[in-house]
Amino acid sequence: MKEIKINVDSINKVKEFVNILNTFDGDFDLVTDRYVVDAKSIMGIFSLDISKDITLAIHDNAPADKVVAALAKFIA
């Protein structure tokens, strides 16, 4: 598993972030404090405080290097 800090502090950023992640097979979670949500779920993301940086957990079955490259503009 690989973890990176991301910033998706607006509705448009969340939509673009989810659209990019949905192009990849694999499991992705967003983790903040004690909350863990599916990173491919717009509704799940909006249940978090998006004004702060959030940890994206890329699980082993996803191509981490390609995902990180595709999400470069969101990396905090």
Side-chain angles (χ1 to χ4, degrees):
M1 179 172 65
K2 181 176 178 90
E3 293 184 346
I4 58 171
K5 291 281 190 185
I6 60 152
N7 183 290
V8 287
D9 58 358
S10 72
I11 293 170
N12 290 333
K13 284 184 179 180
V14 170
K15 287 180 190 177
E16 185 178 356
F17 174 81
V18 170
N19 286 337
I20 291 170
L21 272 188
N22 279 314
T23 65
F24 293 97
D25 291 329
D27 295 320
F28 306 92
D29 292 322
L30 289 175
V31 182
T32 179
D33 297 323
R34 14 173 249 237
Y35 300 102
V36 178
V37 299
D38 181 356
K40 292 183 177 182
S41 167
I42 289 175
M43 293 302 290
I45 294 172
F46 283 125
S47 71
L48 303 174
D49 180 3
I50 62 171
S51 67
K52 300 176 183 175
D53 292 346
I54 302 171
T55 302
L56 171 66
I58 304 168
H59 297 282
D60 294 333
N61 56 342
D65 294 336
K66 290 180 181 179
V67 172
V68 170
L71 297 174
K73 69 189 288 182
F74 301 104
I75 296 176

